[in-house]
Amino acid sequence: MTTWLPEERETASAMVAEGRITAEESRDLGLTAVPVSGTSAPDMAVLAAERAFDASTCDPGDVGLVVHGWLYHQGHDFWSPAHYIAARVGAGSALPLGVQQMSNAGAAALGVAVDKLVADARPQVALVTTADRFCPPGFDRWAADYGVVYGDAGTAALLRRLDTGRPRSGLVLKSLAFVTDAQYESMYRGRDDFSPAPLWRGGRIDVKRPKKAYLEEHGGIAAFTESARSCVRAVLLKALAEAAVEPSDGRIRYVALPRLSDSVLDMMYLPVLEGLVAGKTLREREGSGHLGAGDMFANMAHVSASPDLESGEFAVLIGGGGGFTWSCAVVQAV
């Protein structure tokens, strides 16, 4: 698995100086800069995929399935980015599928690929990608949402069965679990009527407006916080059980969290982990911010490259996305 990040950065200090965020908001975000891309989202996915092929023994012609996940606009309004990615990487005869499940789309795309490989013996290799580009005028990466700054990136992973006869390398996916509480879809809808076209209200994404409406209607965030923590705990324990790994297992080297602010992590993730699961908690948001659908794959790439992750050890990767669905993957170093 690989992550492709553009070289250009926007800094938190510059945003504070321009009045786009406050100094207090900058401290909560907990980072100094995020990547900003002049390259389209699907092209970032292609660049990440090319890196994945370069680092593997797989050939694009081996790929029978391409699954692309995303959160935000992919460059065209009525179009399939998954087909574009398949064609550009040289997997033009593979089955391309697109997955849009808010910030959980990367994990969901991984789940689709895993299920297809298990159910259908024909595809030997699956390519899973994510990419998001949060650019003006439709999106203000610094101010569109509470507790999140959005960074641009593409990610990619190549999946194949363990019984293909090829040498094992990288990470083995031991389990992938999901838990949903769909009543909270209204947090991203608020009181707004259904619109007839994208960006109908104000010409840009404003995540704060529907969230504020939700909080006013439900008297605050307490009920959601309780449900979110319950779901995070449930998906974590479900993934560990399916991987046959005890929460206290000393082979758990890392527990990687979504690339969100301290306030969000303190609300729904960190209280669950305290005293429950072994491993070092990773908050790898510096230099990236929240990568939309790409957080889980970027975290996988990070732990895969870590010299501290030894053969036989595990990493636990937790994700989530509006709606809400939470995910957890358990991987093992070969």
Side-chain angles (χ1 to χ4, degrees), residues 8-333:
E8 184 179 351
R9 297 289 186 273
E10 282 185 354
T11 65
S13 59
M15 299 303 105
V16 172
E18 294 176 16
R20 291 173 60 182
I21 58 173
T22 67
E24 182 179 358
E25 288 170 332
S26 176
R27 286 191 294 272
D28 175 55
L29 292 172
L31 48 71
T32 60
V34 294
V36 177
S37 180
T39 301
S40 74
D43 282 321
M44 288 192 289
V46 170
L47 291 167
E50 289 173 345
R51 286 187 177 179
F53 282 116
D54 288 344
S56 77
T57 59
C58 293
D59 184 88
D62 298 331
V63 175
L65 177 70
V66 175
V67 189
H68 179 59
W70 70 91
L71 169 60
Y72 183 56
H73 182 61
Q74 296 290 289
H76 294 278
D77 294 324
F78 201 65
W79 177 68
S80 172
H83 284 75
Y84 175 85
I85 294 164
R88 288 293 303 274
V89 301
S93 63
L95 173 64
L97 299 173
V99 177
Q100 208 283 357
Q101 201 194 58
M102 302 295 284
S103 297
N104 200 55
L110 178 62
V112 169
V114 169
D115 289 347
K116 179 67 171 174
L117 288 176
V118 170
D120 186 347
R122 287 169 295 180
Q124 295 300 306
V125 179
L127 169 66
V128 186
T129 61
T130 75
D132 282 295
R133 181 188 180 213
F134 302 98
C135 61
F139 205 105
D140 183 342
R141 70 180 72 248
W142 293 92
D145 202 351
Y146 294 112
V148 185
V149 57
Y150 293 80
D152 301 341
T155 71
L158 290 164
L159 282 75
R160 65 176 183 236
R161 300 179 189 85
L162 291 178
D163 59 357
T164 58
R166 301 188 185 190
R168 296 187 181 188
S169 61
L171 300 174
V172 175
L173 180 66
K174 304 297 290 185
S175 67
L176 178 63
F178 300 94
V179 170
T180 295
D181 192 342
Q183 67 175 308
Y184 295 109
E185 59 79 23
S186 62
M187 191 177 291
Y188 287 82
R189 178 169 49 86
R191 292 186 287 262
D192 294 340
D193 295 330
F194 288 91
S195 64
L199 299 178
W200 189 255
R201 297 176 182 87
R204 66 169 54 188
I205 299 293
D206 183 0
V207 186
K208 292 180 178 179
R209 185 184 66 250
K211 285 186 175 179
K212 183 177 180 181
Y214 172 88
L215 295 174
E216 291 173 351
E217 182 177 348
H218 292 83
I221 198 71
F224 171 75
T225 299
E226 182 179 356
S227 176
R229 291 180 182 179
S230 176
C231 289
V232 170
R233 180 183 178 88
V235 78
L236 171 62
L237 294 178
K238 182 180 180 181
L240 288 171
E242 291 178 358
V245 177
E246 292 294 328
S248 59
D249 195 317
R251 293 175 298 169
I252 300 175
R253 171 68 67 174
Y254 297 121
V255 180
L257 299 180
R259 300 182 175 206
L260 306 172
S261 71
D262 285 339
S263 61
V264 178
L265 297 179
D266 288 341
M267 179 181 70
M268 72 174 80
Y269 292 100
L270 292 172
V272 176
L273 300 181
E274 292 175 1
L276 176 62
V277 63
K280 178 183 178 181
T281 301
L282 295 181
R283 290 183 270 189
E284 294 299 319
R285 63 189 173 217
E286 176 57 53
S288 79
H290 178 46
L291 299 178
D295 278 7
M296 182 175 282
F297 279 5
N299 286 341
M300 281 189 186
H302 176 81
V303 301
S304 179
S306 170
D308 296 327
L309 186 67
E310 298 180 358
S311 178
E313 291 187 328
F314 298 98
V316 177
L317 305 110
I318 303 175
F324 269 73
T325 294
W326 287 269
S327 55
C328 185
V330 178
V331 297
Q332 186 175 30

